[in-house]
Amino acid sequence: MANAPGQRRKLVVSRDLGPDTMSLLYAREDLEIVAWPEDRRCERSWLLEKIAGATGAIVMLSDKIDEEFFERAGPSLKVVSTTSVGFEQVDLHALYRRKVRLGYTPDILTDAVADASVMLALMAGRNAGEGVTLVKEGKWPNFHFAPFFFTGPQLSPTPLSPTRTAGFLGFGRIAQATLTRLTAFGLTHCIYTTNPASPPNTALEASLAARYNTGISSSLRSVRRVELDELARASDVLFVLAPGGESTHHVVNADFLRKMKKHAVLVNTSRGTLVDSDALAQALHEEWIWGAGLDVVEGEPHVGADHPLVQEPRYVQYIGWECITDHLRKLYFRRCVIIPHIGSATFETRLGMVNLAAGNALAGIDDEAMPAELDVAARIASQP
Ligand SMILES: O=CC(=O)O
C-alpha cells in the first residue's frame, strides 16, 4: 500500500537494538521509528497496538508473529525482520499468504554459538558450574586436592580413552563449526544425524573427512551419518544442533537418553523443545549420563529455581567408569550447567545481528534485495 504524500512509513522495533543501530534507523527521516521504550521484553499488547499500519517490524525470537499480528498490521506491512537465525516464532503460512518478506540473521552467529557449544561441553564434563558454586560457598578448603574430587570425563582422548566420538544431532553450519573446534581437542570420530527426509550425502561426508584431515594436528578418523540409535549409543559428547519445531520435538527423550553412555555429556545450544526436560532430569538423577550443558530449555525463559534441571546439586556415590578401574569410587555432583540462551551473545556477534536485522528491515521497506532474506516459499515446501 503506497503512503499518502508526506506521510512517513512506520517501522516498529520491539527491543532497543543499541545506540549504533538505533541511530542508523533514526537517521532515516522518511521513517517513523516506533521502538519499545523499556529495557525488558516487549509486551504483546504494545506490539499489537503499534504494528497497526506499519510497513516493517524488527522483532525478537520472543515475539509471536502470528495471524493476529498480521491482522493488526493490515495490508501496509511489507517486511518482518527477526533478530535471530531461528524463526519458529513466525507463522510462515500467514506471512506468505500476505506476501510479507522475512529477514533473519544466519551465518553471523555460527562461530559464537560453536564457541559456546564447546564451552558447555567442557563446563558440564569438568564440573565447572559446581566448582564455581563451591568456591562461592567457601568450601574449597574441604576438597583441596582430594585426588578424585571434581574429576570428570576428559573431552580429549587419553591412553585410557584413546578414541573420542563427537555426535551431532543436526549437522548444519553451527555443528560443522563446532566440529572444527573439536578437532583441536583431538576428537577421533564424528557421527551425525540430519533430517531423516534428506538422503545420505556421501559426497559431503567425504569432503568433510578430507577437510578435517588435512590439518597437521587433526586426529579425526571418520565422519559418518548414522541412525538416531547409533548417535545415542556411540557419542561421548553429543551436540543438539537441529532446528526446533514439531518434527524435532523431544527427539532426545527417555528412550534416547537411556541408550547413551554413562560418561556422555549432552549439549543443547539449539532449541529447548528438542530435549524432554523431565527425561533429562531423570537421566541426570539416575546417572544414565554424566552431565548436560544447556543454553536452551523448553519453556524458557520461565525456568525457575524449582525446575528439575536447576535443582541444587547433590552429592551421590558413583561407582566406576568403564575407562577407569572398577574399584574407583568417588563423590560427585549432579551436573547440569544452564546458561540463559546466550550462545550468540558476544559483542561482535550481537552487533552484527542487530545491524543485519536493521539492514533487512530497511531493504524490505525500500523494496530492495535484503542482505539475508528467508526463501519462505521453499521453506514451506520443505516442511514435512
Ligand atoms: O537462538 C537464537 C537465534 O535463533 O538467533
Side-chain angles (χ1 to χ4, degrees), residues 7 23 34 49 71 126 231 296 300:
Q7 185 186 331
S23 57
V34 179
E49 182 199 323
E71 280 293 315
R126 300 294 296 277
L231 187 78
V296 289
E300 68 180 57

Side-chain angles (χ1 to χ4, degrees), residues 262-263 286-287 290 316-332:
K262 218 167 152 58
H263 68 258
E286 296 180 7
E287 305 165 48
W290 177 268
V316 294
Q317 287 288 335
Y318 180 61
I319 306 168
W321 167 44
E322 55 266 34
C323 296
I324 299 190
T325 51
D326 270 350
H327 65 268
L328 178 64
R329 296 170 69 89
K330 57 181 177 287
L331 288 172
Y332 84 118

Side-chain angles (χ1 to χ4, degrees), residues 347-365:
F347 293 126
E348 297 84 347
T349 293
R350 285 288 168 87
L351 191 56
M353 286 171 72
V354 292
N355 275 335
L356 184 52
N360 282 336
L362 295 177
I365 288 173

Side-chain angles (χ1 to χ4, degrees), residues 8 14 67 80 107-109 124 138 154 179 230 271 288 316 329 334 356 382:
R8 290 192 304 164
S14 77
E67 193 64 51
V80 171
D107 300 320
I108 198 153
L109 46 66
Q154 190 159 320
L179 177 60
E230 185 175 346
R271 290 292 179 261
W288 308 346
V316 294
R329 296 170 69 89
R334 174 158 61 101
L356 184 52
S382 73

Side-chain angles (χ1 to χ4, degrees), residues 24 54 88 91 156 170 182 313 365:
L24 278 180
E88 67 269 26
D91 179 339
S156 48
L182 292 175
I365 288 173

Side-chain angles (χ1 to χ4, degrees), residues 123-283:
M123 286 181 78
R126 300 294 296 277
N127 311 292
E130 293 78 10
V132 169
T133 307
L134 178 125
V135 174
K136 280 195 180 155
E137 289 174 351
K139 294 184 184 151
W140 188 351
N142 305 0
F143 301 106
H144 196 45
F145 279 131
F148 291 107
F149 190 69
F150 271 19
T151 47
Q154 190 159 320
L155 182 62
S156 48
T158 73
L160 278 173
S161 50
T163 62
R164 274 278 174 261
T165 299
F168 292 93
L169 203 162
F171 205 52
R173 293 173 291 238
I174 299 174
Q176 291 178 41
T178 304
L179 177 60
T180 300
R181 285 153 178 73
L182 292 175
T183 58
F185 286 82
L187 272 276
T188 52
H189 297 91
C190 164
I191 52 178
Y192 64 90
T193 57
T194 54
N195 181 349
S198 52
N201 190 338
T202 42
L204 172 71
E205 285 165 30
S207 83
L208 288 170
R211 180 183 338 149
Y212 291 116
N213 284 324
T214 48
I216 29 174
S217 65
S218 176
S219 52
L220 202 61
R221 297 184 210 147
S222 68
V223 181
R224 283 187 307 123
R225 176 170 140 150
V226 297
E227 297 296 325
L228 211 52
D229 185 74
E230 185 175 346
L231 187 78
R233 290 184 197 284
S235 299
D236 294 302
V237 54
L238 176 73
F239 296 91
V240 178
L241 279 166
E246 271 173 40
S247 62
T248 55
H249 184 257
H250 284 190
V251 60
V252 177
N253 53 21
D255 183 45
F256 184 100
L257 290 159
R258 275 186 195 280
K259 293 176 188 159
M260 290 181 74
K261 295 182 181 181
K262 218 167 152 58
H263 68 258
V265 169
L266 175 92
V267 175
N268 188 2
T269 39
S270 54
R271 290 292 179 261
T273 52
L274 278 89
V275 177
D276 178 342
S277 287
D278 291 333
L280 178 59
Q282 189 182 0

